[in-house]
Amino acid sequence: MEILPGLTSTKSNGIPLFLDAMRSLSIKRIALFPTCLTPAQRRDLYTKLESFDGLTIPHVHLRSDADEHELEYLSGRFGTEAFNIHPRASEHPFPPLPARFARRIFIENTNIAPEHDEVRACGGLCPDFSHWENARLMGRIGHTRQMDSLVQLFNSGCCHLSAVRPGKPNDYNGEWDHHEYAMLQDFSYLARYKAYMPLRWASLELQNSLEEQLAAADYINRLLGA
């Protein structure tokens, strides 16, 4: 399993610093989370990313307004192999899947878990382990039971790795799953989910600096015995 640092867009003012760090550290492989950017803002970001020679982006979290042409572009220009979307019952469902990309699209659990039939219709799961652990800590038995069932039945083609900070509310819904870690131990919960990690890509969905993300990747690899 390869842990990819993630370029996120929740705090878009952090993108230039992340790009500068990519250049100074000669980073050639990242995951991309452009889900807070409009199509025009995404096009601008893609232009900036094209300036990095040899950059590959194996995993992209699609925004619900992405179309088939955008998937074609990401696949051709950056070698993207896996995409993830939100469940259809979530706040930001994806429109009908483009048929020729369906097996490369994986469904993430958000505040809710996906349904079996929608996972069956695509490539499989993209577990977000922080949302799963937060649901467990909050006593949401339905979410945890559904995820327990899904990971037994379906392939996990990619995943999101974020922080869990029990007792520390996040900024977006006041719960304990976070896109920014304060200490490396915020990832210690991942040991519980070691058996469910995907074989290929695990993407850090973090607002932390690139340097901090690389430290997190090293910690998680040691935690999971990779």
Side-chain angles (χ1 to χ4, degrees):
M1 182 183 74
E2 178 182 5
I3 299 179
L4 298 167
L7 174 52
T8 61
S9 55
T10 312
K11 294 183 178 179
S12 58
N13 58 353
I15 292 175
L17 291 175
F18 193 96
L19 296 177
D20 288 344
M22 282 176 58
R23 203 175 298 280
S24 65
L25 296 171
S26 299
I27 296 296
K28 298 295 186 181
R29 290 171 70 79
I30 64 168
L32 184 60
F33 296 83
T35 46
C36 292
L37 302 179
T38 66
Q41 290 171 326
R42 295 200 300 275
R43 287 193 293 271
D44 179 66
L45 176 58
Y46 297 155
T47 298
K48 291 181 171 66
L49 290 171
E50 286 181 355
S51 70
F52 289 83
D53 290 337
L55 176 66
T56 57
I57 307 175
H59 172 206
V60 174
H61 183 346
L62 294 175
R63 181 167 149 144
S64 58
D65 59 4
D67 60 20
E68 188 168 352
H69 296 296
E70 190 165 349
L71 275 68
E72 289 174 346
Y73 164 77
L74 290 164
S75 299
R77 184 62 180 81
F78 298 111
T80 304
E81 297 185 53
F83 302 94
N84 83 267
I85 60 174
H86 286 175
R88 63 189 176 198
S90 69
E91 187 177 353
H92 301 289
F94 200 77
L97 303 183
R100 66 192 184 93
F101 285 99
R103 305 318 299 176
R104 293 166 54 190
I105 294 174
F106 302 88
I107 303 184
E108 174 197 358
N109 56 303
T110 55
N111 60 319
I112 62 169
E115 299 169 24
H116 285 72
D117 61 336
E118 62 179 320
V119 178
R120 190 175 293 110
C122 67
L125 285 168
C126 174
D128 186 310
F129 294 108
S130 69
H131 298 331
W132 189 353
E133 175 68 0
N134 180 69
R136 187 188 72 84
L137 293 172
M138 295 288 178
R140 296 191 183 122
I141 302 301
H143 186 127
T144 56
R145 285 180 177 168
Q146 180 76 341
M147 289 302 296
D148 286 341
S149 172
L150 289 168
V151 294
Q152 300 298 329
L153 293 171
F154 299 105
N155 172 55
S156 293
C158 50
C159 74
H160 294 180
L161 303 178
S162 303
V164 173
R165 299 161 63 184
K168 302 289 185 182
N170 62 40
D171 293 333
Y172 48 92
N173 64 7
E175 297 194 353
W176 297 346
D177 41 352
H178 288 260
H179 291 155
E180 188 167 7
Y181 79 89
M183 59 184 67
L184 291 171
Q185 288 72 21
D186 294 339
F187 302 102
S188 62
Y189 76 94
L190 289 170
R192 174 184 296 274
Y193 301 96
K194 179 178 178 178
Y196 307 128
M197 293 291 161
L199 293 177
R200 299 194 68 184
W201 301 295
S203 301
L204 294 171
E205 187 175 12
L206 295 171
Q207 296 160 189
N208 296 80
S209 69
L210 178 55
E211 294 85 350
E212 289 170 336
Q213 291 196 36
L214 295 176
D218 181 65
Y219 174 85
I220 295 167
N221 273 321
R222 288 185 282 109
L223 177 74
L224 300 180

